[in-house]
Every structure is written in C-alpha cells, then in structure tokens.
Amino acid sequence: MASKPNYARIGDQVFRDVEKINAELFTLTYGAIVAQLLKDFEDVEEVNNQLEKMGYNIGLRLIEEFLARSNVPRCSDFKDTAEVISKVGFKMFLGINATVTNWDPKKPEFSLVLEENPLIDFVEVPEQYQSLVYSNILCGVIRGALEMVQMSVECRFVRDVLKGDDASELKVTLKAMLEEEVPVGED
Amino acid sequence: QPETTEAPAASALTTEALLATTTQDDNKSRSGLSKLDAAGYSVGYTFMERITKDRARFVEVLDIIKFICKEFWMEVFKKNIDNLRTNRKGTYVLSDNKFRWLNKLSASSSNETKQAATKYLLFPCGLIRGALANLGVAATVSGEISPSSPSCVFTIKVEQ
C-alpha cells in the first residue's frame, strides 16, 4: 500500500510558490469589509450570514485553484480530507497551520484549531457586536470548497479568540456526500 | 513584512466585496459602488500610516506622490507604477501597465471586460485617496482602464 503523502510538505511547497500579499493589507481589507457590512445591515446575525455567504462564493472558486496548484491526490476518506484542509489548504491560502482534533467517534465530524488567524490581527470587537462571528467567512470558504468536491458540510465557530477563548476552533460536520449533482452557483 | 497568500485575499475577497456591495442596492448601485471607494479609503489611510511610521516627514506633495508610486505600490501590488506624469498644477497621472487585480480578468468581449474591470478600480482609487489623506493631502482620484487591459491609469487631482 502506498504510504500517505506528506501533507505538511506539500503545504509548505505550494505556499512557497503562490503569489503573496502583504499580511497587514489583507487584514485591513477584511476589516474594512466587515465594518462595511455592519454599517449596511445593522443586524449582527445578518452580517454573520453575509460573511458566510461571501466565503461560500469564494470557496466555490477557490477549490479550483487549490486542486490545480497543490497536486494533492484524491482523499481516501473524510479524515484524509480534514488533514488536507488543515495542512495544505490553510497553509496555501492563509500561510498558517491548523490542527485537526476532536474527532467524534459516532459521526463524521472534526475540529480545526487555529492558533493564529491573520484575519483578526489588531481587531477588537466593540461590545454591542458581541454576537458577531468576525471570521465567519472561513466557515463559508470551507463549505463552498467542499461542496465542489461532492461533500455537503456544516461549518461553524465553536471557540473564538476574539470572544476571549485561547484559540479559535472551527467545527466541520459532514452532512452528506453529494452524487453527480450539477453544482449550484448561488445560494 | 509578514506575508500571507494572494489568492483569497486580493482577488477573491475584493470580488466578493464587489458583488456584495453592488447587488445589495440594485436600484441605487451608485451608492454600492461608493462603498467600495470608502472601504479602500479606510484601508489606504491606515496602511499608509503603518508603512510611513519610521520615515522622515515629506516636504513636497511630489515626494508623497513618488512614495505612492514606488514604496506604497510595491507593498500593495508588488510592483512600481510604470509611469508618472504631472502638469505641475496639482494633477498627477499614474500608469500601471500591468495592474495586478486586472491581470486575470476577462469577459466575453473586450468591451464587456472593460466595463466589468472598471469596478475593480474603485477600491484602489479609494486606497490612493486614503493614503494621501493620511499625509495631509486632500485629492480626488479617478481610475481608467486602458484599451489594452490589464493596464490602467489613475488620475490624482490635488485640491489646492
């Protein structure tokens, strides 16, 4: 049996080859978008939805770039998928590593723990926006990207550094494998 | 400078912001577009502050414009502005022959591409305006796609 590919190495390699953007500029731009959404919608819950939807639309397109550049082989199971997302996906697009933990023995569900998150550098959330899930765009990206490879997942933040937790944790749950469906373009 | 990756950031993120702001106000999409300019302004303002914090003060407006053409552009778009012209009366014309955010953009016809691409210049226009404002220069900035995309021209008119 072929040994498992070294995802960490693939991640480093592809990160080295992709075009980069100044991290501060990236953080500031994302911040400006979130601020704009808060101004437009007032309702924080709706802002969370919008961020997720933006991420979803990004994910639908991002997966193509991911597959084209990373050259990862087909994932053998959902566990494998989790490894690829954490070691190659996060590295390639955000320059960070995520750790896969908290496998649920009963259902296909895992956590991605982010020790650092470039989206939230210099960010402080004012008190009236306590329910804001600032980095919710990441959940959308994962949902959108996986949908394009026939996995329907649910993704949500269960811990958030901005809310005082020591790390950020995303919970990803596999809901269904999609079969030969024509991908939907919009929500 | 620490770096993260280009892919989701500049291209995908700005595209999404573009769609989100323009589709929200379908009937008053002008205001949707002006939000992009406003977002660019706030990013440009803060970013300029951060990259000039250890520099000596600029003496002339031309020095500030040159700084934008070189260091600022390099930090943001990884290249310099290719050409700078001025009428010496407060108008500066900056040409970028291979503007990064237009590089991989295409629609079904060159006219359509041009139309779609014009929206992509709103954020950078705001970015320049914000960067100038941070150094005390009030200006209006407009952007135009050249017939041979991905090149484009930004015109800065400094308020006298």
Side-chain angles (χ1 to χ4, degrees), chain A residues 63-80:
Chain A
I63 186 74
E64 213 161 307
E65 175 140 359
F66 176 80
L67 295 174
R69 284 179 186 258
S70 67
N71 273 321
V72 284
R74 182 178 288 267
C75 295
S76 52
D77 53 20
F78 196 50
K79 271 195 174 160
D80 213 18

Side-chain angles (χ1 to χ4, degrees), chain A residues 103-127:
Chain A
W103 272 102
D104 192 312
K106 294 193 203 72
K107 52 183 173 176
E109 180 178 281
F110 65 91
S111 282
L112 288 165
V113 176
L114 315 177
E115 258 127 64
E116 37 175 354
N117 174 2
L119 293 179
I120 62 173
D121 287 339
F122 350 102
V123 173
E124 262 180 67
V125 178
E127 211 146 288

Side-chain angles (χ1 to χ4, degrees), chain B residues 4-139:
Chain B
T4 41
T5 308
E6 154 82 344
S11 40
L13 197 59
T14 44
T15 307
E16 270 318 304
L18 195 73
L19 292 172
T21 45
T22 48
T23 48
Q24 264 155 42
D25 326 58
D26 262 341
N27 36 4
K28 38 175 183 159
S29 65
R30 260 191 72 86
S31 87
L33 295 176
S34 77
K35 284 175 196 164
L36 276 176
D37 178 77
Y41 180 90
S42 98
V43 173
Y45 192 93
T46 320
F47 192 64
M48 190 60 148
E49 181 157 311
R50 294 191 65 85
I51 62 173
T52 54
K53 65 180 193 295
D54 300 320
R55 284 185 60 95
R57 186 199 292 251
F58 294 97
V59 181
E60 285 186 48
V61 173
L62 184 61
D63 296 329
I64 296 175
I65 303 280
K66 280 184 184 161
F67 181 81
I68 289 181
C69 294
K70 291 182 181 153
E71 273 99 319
F72 184 82
W73 218 252
M74 185 57 94
E75 287 288 348
V76 179
F77 300 112
K78 307 279 166 183
K79 70 185 284 299
N80 289 339
I81 283 284
D82 296 294
N83 187 276
L84 166 65
R85 278 176 299 139
T86 173
N87 67 354
R88 304 192 183 278
K89 286 181 196 139
T91 301
Y92 301 86
V93 181
L94 284 58
S95 322
D96 188 333
N97 296 338
K98 206 178 169 208
F99 187 51
R100 203 178 180 191
W101 290 359
L102 301 177
N103 217 358
K104 285 167 189 152
L105 209 67
S106 70
S108 53
S109 69
S110 68
N111 219 7
E112 258 179 66
T113 306
K114 192 176 165 179
Q115 222 170 23
T118 304
K119 291 181 196 160
Y120 281 77
L121 296 186
L122 293 168
F123 187 89
C125 282
L127 202 70
I128 298 173
R129 208 161 54 80
L132 286 168
N134 183 269
L135 297 176
V137 179

Side-chain angles (χ1 to χ4, degrees), chain A residues 85-86 90 94 96-101 111-120 135 138 142 157 159-161 165-170:
Chain A
I85 295 171
S86 69
F90 272 86
L94 291 174
I96 56 169
N97 287 310
T99 318
V100 181
T101 54
S111 282
L112 288 165
V113 176
L114 315 177
E115 258 127 64
E116 37 175 354
N117 174 2
L119 293 179
I120 62 173
S135 311
L138 296 180
I142 292 176
F157 269 91
R159 281 194 292 157
D160 190 343
V161 172
D165 298 317
D166 52 350
S168 296
E169 179 175 346
L170 286 155

Side-chain angles (χ1 to χ4, degrees), chain A residues 7 9 18 31 54 61 70 97 108 116 136 161 165-166 171:
Chain A
Y7 292 131
R9 214 189 55 214
V18 287
M54 285 170 84
R61 286 175 281 129
S70 67
N97 287 310
E116 37 175 354
N136 213 21
V161 172
D165 298 317
D166 52 350
K171 182 134 282 212

Side-chain angles (χ1 to χ4, degrees), chain A residues 15-176:
Chain A
F15 180 64
R16 204 186 52 224
D17 294 343
V18 287
E19 287 179 85
K20 314 280 199 305
I21 184 175
N22 180 297
E24 283 186 2
L25 184 77
F26 175 60
T27 309
L28 290 172
T29 306
Y30 185 66
I33 290 169
V34 177
Q36 189 62 58
L37 288 174
L38 283 168
K39 220 180 279 171
D40 287 349
F41 288 100
E42 282 155 16
D43 177 28
V44 176
E45 233 8 83
E46 187 51 34
V47 173
N48 291 342
N49 287 340
Q50 287 292 325
L51 286 172
E52 208 273 347
K53 198 173 145 197
M54 285 170 84
Y56 174 77
N57 289 330
I58 291 175
L60 295 180
R61 286 175 281 129
L62 209 66
I63 186 74
E64 213 161 307
E65 175 140 359
F66 176 80
L67 295 174
R69 284 179 186 258
S70 67
N71 273 321
V72 284
R74 182 178 288 267
C75 295
S76 52
D77 53 20
F78 196 50
K79 271 195 174 160
D80 213 18
T81 307
E83 289 296 315
V84 170
I85 295 171
S86 69
K87 296 209 174 70
V88 190
F90 272 86
K91 185 74 190 179
M92 173 174 173
F93 291 116
L94 291 174
I96 56 169
N97 287 310
T99 318
V100 181
T101 54
N102 295 343
W103 272 102
D104 192 312
K106 294 193 203 72
K107 52 183 173 176
E109 180 178 281
F110 65 91
S111 282
L112 288 165
V113 176
L114 315 177
E115 258 127 64
E116 37 175 354
N117 174 2
L119 293 179
I120 62 173
D121 287 339
F122 350 102
V123 173
E124 262 180 67
V125 178
E127 211 146 288
Q128 73 262 39
Y129 298 133
Q130 278 309 307
S131 56
L132 176 68
V133 187
Y134 187 88
S135 311
N136 213 21
I137 199 163
L138 296 180
C139 295
V141 171
I142 292 176
R143 183 168 71 90
L146 288 182
E147 188 172 301
M148 294 303 272
V149 285
Q150 269 74 44
M151 277 174 264
S152 167
V153 299
E154 199 182 87
C155 182
R156 62 185 195 280
F157 269 91
V158 289
R159 281 194 292 157
D160 190 343
V161 172
L162 285 180
K163 297 203 166 124
D165 298 317
D166 52 350
S168 296
E169 179 175 346
L170 286 155
K171 182 134 282 212
V172 184
T173 314
L174 180 64
K175 287 191 303 187

